[in-house]
Amino acid sequence: MTDVASPSRSAGRTANALREALEDDIAVGLYPPGTRLDEVSLARRFSVSRTPIREALIELSASGLVEIRPRRGAFVREIGIPRLIEMFEVMAELEAMCARLAARRMDATECATLLDAHARCSAAARAGDPDAYYIANEAFHDAIYEGSGNGFLAEQARELKNRLKPYRRLQLRVRNRVGNSLAEHQALVDAIQSGDADAAAHVLRSHILIQGERFNDFVASLAAAEKTRRARG
Amino acid sequence: MTDVASPSRSAGRTANALREALEDDIAVGLYPPGTRLDEVSLARRFSVSRTPIREALIELSASGLVEIRPRRGAFVREIGIPRLIEMFEVMAELEAMCARLAARRMDATECATLLDAHARCSAAARAGDPDAYYIANEAFHDAIYEGSGNGFLAEQARELKNRLKPYRRLQLRVRNRVGNSLAEHQALVDAIQSGDADAAAHVLRSHILIQGERFNDFVASLAAAEKTRRARG
DNA sequence: TCAACGCTTTTTGTATACAATTGACGATCC
DNA sequence: GGATCGTCAATTGTATACAAAAAGCGTTGA
């Protein structure tokens, strides 16, 4: 019985807290793609009735993390390889757009935030702490989203990133990605600080698309994971 | 008592049909931005209970067309000018991306669809039929979304366009926008047919951003409309 | 032995009942 | 006369009850 005490904002709406809790559970891998989300089980688990559970599932369905098949239940959405590639393609473009705008519009405070995140990335990389790097990396990208000065764009980028989260975990384990990633971050910081919008866009697009070229590894590992999962289930 | 008989897909889910109905009503202006959407009134209007109404409102809230303020009700989202500008900025980039990909990937069938839509645009423009132009224009842009070969991108583009619909109506009335629009369409078709991805992206980005430069007119008319609305209400 | 049919059980979808909070109206006090 | 507090009505949020559809299961027939 997990108590959903996360106050977050918007009290008086259990469904919101539930949505966030389920989002995390899905991102973390507690509910892997394909898992059926039973309403009564979830209701028991969170000690609420089916109503707010249903509402949370509908929200998740709208955000694309969950698929509701009418009269058949809610499932953690299984995103196939082709669609994942499509999503990364869009993600790269959104991030590139953020970078371009950030190079033009970022103010000193936002730039300081970016540099701080970059420093934390470096530290985590030196320490060889992948979890810390994951956190700092997220802060770094968030700083660029915010730095775009386009709040709507930032929202879109964050939302898409969220949808990709369940699959991203598998991805960052490959090779010595961290080292290259850090170098790309540095190039991006340089481009932004020198106000070179096109360079910033190019660097960040590549930063994402390189992940796409290293995607073969990713695809392979994902396909393998899928195979073992199917074998188990 | 409006009967929500729109079967669409996903029968056994009244909420979906309700969402589409409300989407249309909002897009058409039946519920202008800021309108309060009372659950019991809607339930009466569609002859259902509050439950599916609530679910539809939650979906609309997730898509951004409606804002749910906890314990205070659902309102048609009022999008301020700054945010509208942000959204158009993103829209332009998404469409540019579609165009770039379409120039590379579009096959003969998709190209035929595009040309057909273009022809219908021309016909509507010659006939001076703005409604027909609106329809054909939508088909034209849809053809480019689909032509990108990136289904996810196409979805994102359509969804954002949907969110902008309530505000777009006001916009297309300005000047002889139709003539210029048509010329830009032609340039885009040429770029796509010659496979010039950069040109296609540039043309379509401009096509949207020109609407942004003519945005002053739009802003003015919207501010005026808002003023009269406030005066009435 | 396998397949198809029908029943039962489980689960979703919808309606209704209840609780709790909000907003408004009115009365009272300064 | 104005402002503030209290009470009441109205509306949302949650729980439960009921209906209908789907899936699982066993039985029966070929």
Side-chain angles (χ1 to χ4, degrees), chain A residues 85-119:
Chain A
I85 293 175
E86 292 179 356
M87 291 171 78
F88 271 101
E89 209 170 38
V90 174
M91 188 81 227
E93 207 60 40
L94 286 182
E95 297 231 10
M97 185 181 174
C98 288
R100 190 182 325 117
L101 296 177
R104 292 204 207 107
R105 302 176 179 170
M106 230 174 183
D107 64 28
T109 308
E110 291 168 334
C111 203
T113 306
L114 180 68
L115 289 174
D116 176 61
H118 185 44

Tab-separated table of all heavy atoms in Angstrom, chain A residues 85-119:
chain	number	residue	atom	x	y	z
A	85	ILE	N	12.786	5.707	-33.281
A	85	ILE	CA	13.670	6.481	-34.155
A	85	ILE	C	13.000	7.799	-34.535
A	85	ILE	O	13.613	8.866	-34.500
A	85	ILE	CB	14.032	5.659	-35.400
A	85	ILE	CG1	14.898	4.461	-34.985
A	85	ILE	CG2	14.758	6.514	-36.425
A	85	ILE	CD1	15.221	3.511	-36.114
A	86	GLU	N	11.702	7.692	-34.884
A	86	GLU	CA	10.970	8.909	-35.218
A	86	GLU	C	10.995	9.901	-34.071
A	86	GLU	O	11.200	11.103	-34.258
A	86	GLU	CB	9.517	8.564	-35.564
A	86	GLU	CG	9.343	7.788	-36.848
A	86	GLU	CD	7.886	7.447	-37.117
A	86	GLU	OE1	7.031	7.759	-36.262
A	86	GLU	OE2	7.610	6.874	-38.167
A	87	MET	N	10.775	9.388	-32.867
A	87	MET	CA	10.710	10.270	-31.710
A	87	MET	C	12.062	10.927	-31.441
A	87	MET	O	12.129	12.112	-31.102
A	87	MET	CB	10.231	9.489	-30.494
A	87	MET	CG	8.771	9.066	-30.595
A	87	MET	SD	8.237	7.934	-29.293
A	87	MET	CE	8.024	9.063	-27.921
A	88	PHE	N	13.135	10.169	-31.611
A	88	PHE	CA	14.460	10.762	-31.402
A	88	PHE	C	14.746	11.813	-32.469
A	88	PHE	O	15.393	12.830	-32.193
A	88	PHE	CB	15.543	9.679	-31.407
A	88	PHE	CG	15.795	9.091	-30.058
A	88	PHE	CD1	15.270	7.863	-29.701
A	88	PHE	CD2	16.536	9.795	-29.116
A	88	PHE	CE1	15.482	7.330	-28.446
A	88	PHE	CE2	16.765	9.270	-27.855
A	88	PHE	CZ	16.232	8.033	-27.518
A	89	GLU	N	14.242	11.562	-33.656
A	89	GLU	CA	14.423	12.539	-34.727
A	89	GLU	C	13.775	13.873	-34.330
A	89	GLU	O	14.379	14.946	-34.483
A	89	GLU	CB	13.778	11.998	-36.010
A	89	GLU	CG	14.411	12.481	-37.285
A	89	GLU	CD	13.887	11.711	-38.503
A	89	GLU	OE1	12.681	11.375	-38.559
A	89	GLU	OE2	14.676	11.455	-39.410
A	90	VAL	N	12.581	13.794	-33.787
A	90	VAL	CA	11.891	15.014	-33.360
A	90	VAL	C	12.595	15.628	-32.155
A	90	VAL	O	12.780	16.846	-32.077
A	90	VAL	CB	10.418	14.710	-33.028
A	90	VAL	CG1	9.735	15.939	-32.447
A	90	VAL	CG2	9.684	14.238	-34.273
A	91	MET	N	13.006	14.766	-31.243
A	91	MET	CA	13.707	15.257	-30.061
A	91	MET	C	14.942	16.051	-30.457
A	91	MET	O	15.201	17.139	-29.907
A	91	MET	CB	14.114	14.063	-29.191
A	91	MET	CG	14.694	14.418	-27.833
A	91	MET	SD	13.423	14.799	-26.628
A	91	MET	CE	14.050	16.301	-25.893
A	92	ALA	N	15.697	15.528	-31.410
A	92	ALA	CA	16.915	16.214	-31.853
A	92	ALA	C	16.582	17.600	-32.385
A	92	ALA	O	17.271	18.582	-32.093
A	92	ALA	CB	17.612	15.384	-32.932
A	93	GLU	N	15.501	17.671	-33.136
A	93	GLU	CA	15.146	18.962	-33.727
A	93	GLU	C	14.674	19.949	-32.659
A	93	GLU	O	15.017	21.137	-32.697
A	93	GLU	CB	14.056	18.753	-34.776
A	93	GLU	CG	14.055	19.792	-35.868
A	93	GLU	CD	15.380	19.810	-36.616
A	93	GLU	OE1	15.950	18.720	-36.883
A	93	GLU	OE2	15.856	20.914	-36.915
A	94	LEU	N	13.909	19.458	-31.711
A	94	LEU	CA	13.453	20.339	-30.630
A	94	LEU	C	14.639	20.863	-29.833
A	94	LEU	O	14.705	22.056	-29.503
A	94	LEU	CB	12.490	19.594	-29.701
A	94	LEU	CG	11.079	19.334	-30.214
A	94	LEU	CD1	10.246	18.626	-29.159
A	94	LEU	CD2	10.403	20.641	-30.604
A	95	GLU	N	15.571	19.991	-29.525
A	95	GLU	CA	16.729	20.426	-28.752
A	95	GLU	C	17.570	21.406	-29.563
A	95	GLU	O	18.089	22.387	-29.024
A	95	GLU	CB	17.566	19.209	-28.330
A	95	GLU	CG	16.818	18.267	-27.413
A	95	GLU	CD	17.606	17.930	-26.149
A	95	GLU	OE1	18.642	18.553	-25.893
A	95	GLU	OE2	17.144	17.025	-25.413
A	96	ALA	N	17.706	21.125	-30.853
A	96	ALA	CA	18.464	22.045	-31.696
A	96	ALA	C	17.821	23.424	-31.687
A	96	ALA	O	18.497	24.449	-31.610
A	96	ALA	CB	18.533	21.500	-33.124
A	97	MET	N	16.516	23.432	-31.737
A	97	MET	CA	15.805	24.706	-31.717
A	97	MET	C	16.046	25.435	-30.405
A	97	MET	O	16.290	26.641	-30.374
A	97	MET	CB	14.315	24.442	-31.918
A	97	MET	CG	13.487	25.715	-32.040
A	97	MET	SD	11.739	25.340	-32.243
A	97	MET	CE	11.064	27.010	-32.182
A	98	CYS	N	15.994	24.694	-29.312
A	98	CYS	CA	16.297	25.287	-28.009
A	98	CYS	C	17.683	25.900	-28.023
A	98	CYS	O	17.886	27.032	-27.561
A	98	CYS	CB	16.217	24.227	-26.906
A	98	CYS	SG	14.557	23.672	-26.510
A	99	ALA	N	18.634	25.156	-28.542
A	99	ALA	CA	20.019	25.636	-28.534
A	99	ALA	C	20.145	26.910	-29.360
A	99	ALA	O	20.801	27.872	-28.945
A	99	ALA	CB	20.942	24.556	-29.080
A	100	ARG	N	19.530	26.916	-30.532
A	100	ARG	CA	19.621	28.085	-31.389
A	100	ARG	C	19.078	29.319	-30.677
A	100	ARG	O	19.704	30.375	-30.646
A	100	ARG	CB	18.865	27.846	-32.698
A	100	ARG	CG	19.123	28.930	-33.726
A	100	ARG	CD	18.343	28.724	-35.017
A	100	ARG	NE	18.206	27.329	-35.357
A	100	ARG	CZ	17.044	26.700	-35.423
A	100	ARG	NH1	15.927	27.343	-35.178
A	100	ARG	NH2	16.998	25.421	-35.752
A	101	LEU	N	17.896	29.143	-30.073
A	101	LEU	CA	17.287	30.281	-29.383
A	101	LEU	C	18.103	30.659	-28.152
A	101	LEU	O	18.260	31.846	-27.841
A	101	LEU	CB	15.848	29.945	-28.991
A	101	LEU	CG	14.906	29.705	-30.169
A	101	LEU	CD1	13.519	29.313	-29.668
A	101	LEU	CD2	14.813	30.950	-31.043
A	102	ALA	N	18.613	29.654	-27.457
A	102	ALA	CA	19.386	29.931	-26.241
A	102	ALA	C	20.634	30.744	-26.573
A	102	ALA	O	20.999	31.667	-25.831
A	102	ALA	CB	19.772	28.625	-25.553
A	103	ALA	N	21.255	30.418	-27.687
A	103	ALA	CA	22.460	31.156	-28.077
A	103	ALA	C	22.139	32.633	-28.279
A	103	ALA	O	22.964	33.501	-28.003
A	103	ALA	CB	23.034	30.566	-29.359
A	104	ARG	N	20.934	32.905	-28.711
A	104	ARG	CA	20.560	34.294	-28.955
A	104	ARG	C	20.048	34.993	-27.705
A	104	ARG	O	20.308	36.170	-27.494
A	104	ARG	CB	19.438	34.356	-30.007
A	104	ARG	CG	19.872	33.943	-31.390
A	104	ARG	CD	18.958	34.575	-32.456
A	104	ARG	NE	18.923	33.747	-33.650
A	104	ARG	CZ	17.884	33.006	-34.001
A	104	ARG	NH1	16.792	33.012	-33.279
A	104	ARG	NH2	17.935	32.277	-35.103
A	105	ARG	N	19.328	34.250	-26.864
A	105	ARG	CA	18.511	34.932	-25.866
A	105	ARG	C	18.951	34.746	-24.426
A	105	ARG	O	18.469	35.453	-23.538
A	105	ARG	CB	17.064	34.427	-25.965
A	105	ARG	CG	16.424	34.623	-27.315
A	105	ARG	CD	15.037	33.991	-27.302
A	105	ARG	NE	14.338	34.171	-28.574
A	105	ARG	CZ	13.200	33.554	-28.893
A	105	ARG	NH1	12.652	32.710	-28.019
A	105	ARG	NH2	12.616	33.763	-30.048
A	106	MET	N	19.807	33.773	-24.173
A	106	MET	CA	20.120	33.434	-22.789
A	106	MET	C	20.702	34.629	-22.033
A	106	MET	O	21.608	35.304	-22.539
A	106	MET	CB	21.136	32.298	-22.791
A	106	MET	CG	20.746	31.150	-21.899
A	106	MET	SD	21.943	29.803	-22.116
A	106	MET	CE	21.221	28.589	-21.049
A	107	ASP	N	20.215	34.857	-20.838
A	107	ASP	CA	20.789	35.936	-20.041
A	107	ASP	C	21.836	35.376	-19.081
A	107	ASP	O	22.098	34.173	-19.041
A	107	ASP	CB	19.695	36.698	-19.283
A	107	ASP	CG	18.992	35.831	-18.259
A	107	ASP	OD1	19.609	34.877	-17.740
A	107	ASP	OD2	17.817	36.099	-17.967
A	108	ALA	N	22.427	36.256	-18.292
A	108	ALA	CA	23.563	35.862	-17.453
A	108	ALA	C	23.162	34.806	-16.425
A	108	ALA	O	23.874	33.819	-16.214
A	108	ALA	CB	24.133	37.098	-16.741
A	109	THR	N	22.007	35.009	-15.803
A	109	THR	CA	21.566	34.068	-14.780
A	109	THR	C	21.391	32.673	-15.363
A	109	THR	O	21.882	31.678	-14.814
A	109	THR	CB	20.215	34.521	-14.186
A	109	THR	OG1	20.330	35.882	-13.778
A	109	THR	CG2	19.837	33.650	-13.012
A	110	GLU	N	20.696	32.611	-16.513
A	110	GLU	CA	20.451	31.315	-17.139
A	110	GLU	C	21.766	30.673	-17.560
A	110	GLU	O	21.943	29.454	-17.447
A	110	GLU	CB	19.532	31.497	-18.346
A	110	GLU	CG	18.107	31.888	-17.947
A	110	GLU	CD	17.282	32.352	-19.135
A	110	GLU	OE1	17.866	32.841	-20.109
A	110	GLU	OE2	16.051	32.227	-19.065
A	111	CYS	N	22.678	31.523	-18.025
A	111	CYS	CA	23.974	31.004	-18.456
A	111	CYS	C	24.732	30.413	-17.258
A	111	CYS	O	25.378	29.369	-17.374
A	111	CYS	CB	24.786	32.120	-19.106
A	111	CYS	SG	26.055	31.526	-20.229
A	112	ALA	N	24.610	31.086	-16.125
A	112	ALA	CA	25.269	30.580	-14.917
A	112	ALA	C	24.694	29.215	-14.539
A	112	ALA	O	25.435	28.286	-14.179
A	112	ALA	CB	25.076	31.572	-13.773
A	113	THR	N	23.375	29.086	-14.640
A	113	THR	CA	22.734	27.802	-14.357
A	113	THR	C	23.294	26.717	-15.265
A	113	THR	O	23.592	25.603	-14.821
A	113	THR	CB	21.211	27.909	-14.572
A	113	THR	OG1	20.711	28.993	-13.793
A	113	THR	CG2	20.521	26.617	-14.165
A	114	LEU	N	23.434	27.069	-16.544
A	114	LEU	CA	23.954	26.106	-17.509
A	114	LEU	C	25.383	25.697	-17.146
A	114	LEU	O	25.720	24.503	-17.137
A	114	LEU	CB	23.930	26.717	-18.911
A	114	LEU	CG	24.454	25.816	-20.037
A	114	LEU	CD1	23.520	24.647	-20.271
A	114	LEU	CD2	24.637	26.612	-21.325
A	115	LEU	N	26.195	26.685	-16.832
A	115	LEU	CA	27.592	26.393	-16.499
A	115	LEU	C	27.682	25.532	-15.242
A	115	LEU	O	28.497	24.613	-15.162
A	115	LEU	CB	28.369	27.702	-16.313
A	115	LEU	CG	28.626	28.474	-17.611
A	115	LEU	CD1	29.267	29.820	-17.320
A	115	LEU	CD2	29.501	27.647	-18.548
A	116	ASP	N	26.823	25.837	-14.294
A	116	ASP	CA	26.814	25.037	-13.067
A	116	ASP	C	26.486	23.579	-13.378
A	116	ASP	O	27.159	22.651	-12.912
A	116	ASP	CB	25.775	25.611	-12.097
A	116	ASP	CG	25.660	24.770	-10.843
A	116	ASP	OD1	26.672	24.643	-10.123
A	116	ASP	OD2	24.572	24.216	-10.593
A	117	ALA	N	25.464	23.380	-14.187
A	117	ALA	CA	25.089	22.011	-14.552
A	117	ALA	C	26.235	21.328	-15.293
A	117	ALA	O	26.517	20.141	-15.063
A	117	ALA	CB	23.830	22.032	-15.411
A	118	HIS	N	26.878	22.099	-16.157
A	118	HIS	CA	28.004	21.549	-16.906
A	118	HIS	C	29.126	21.118	-15.944
A	118	HIS	O	29.723	20.043	-16.099
A	118	HIS	CB	28.532	22.600	-17.888
A	118	HIS	CG	29.616	22.089	-18.781
A	118	HIS	ND1	29.559	20.865	-19.410
A	118	HIS	CD2	30.798	22.629	-19.157
A	118	HIS	CE1	30.646	20.678	-20.131
A	118	HIS	NE2	31.417	21.735	-19.987
A	119	ALA	N	29.387	21.964	-14.959
A	119	ALA	CA	30.423	21.632	-13.972
A	119	ALA	C	30.059	20.354	-13.219
A	119	ALA	O	30.909	19.477	-12.993
A	119	ALA	CB	30.593	22.803	-12.999
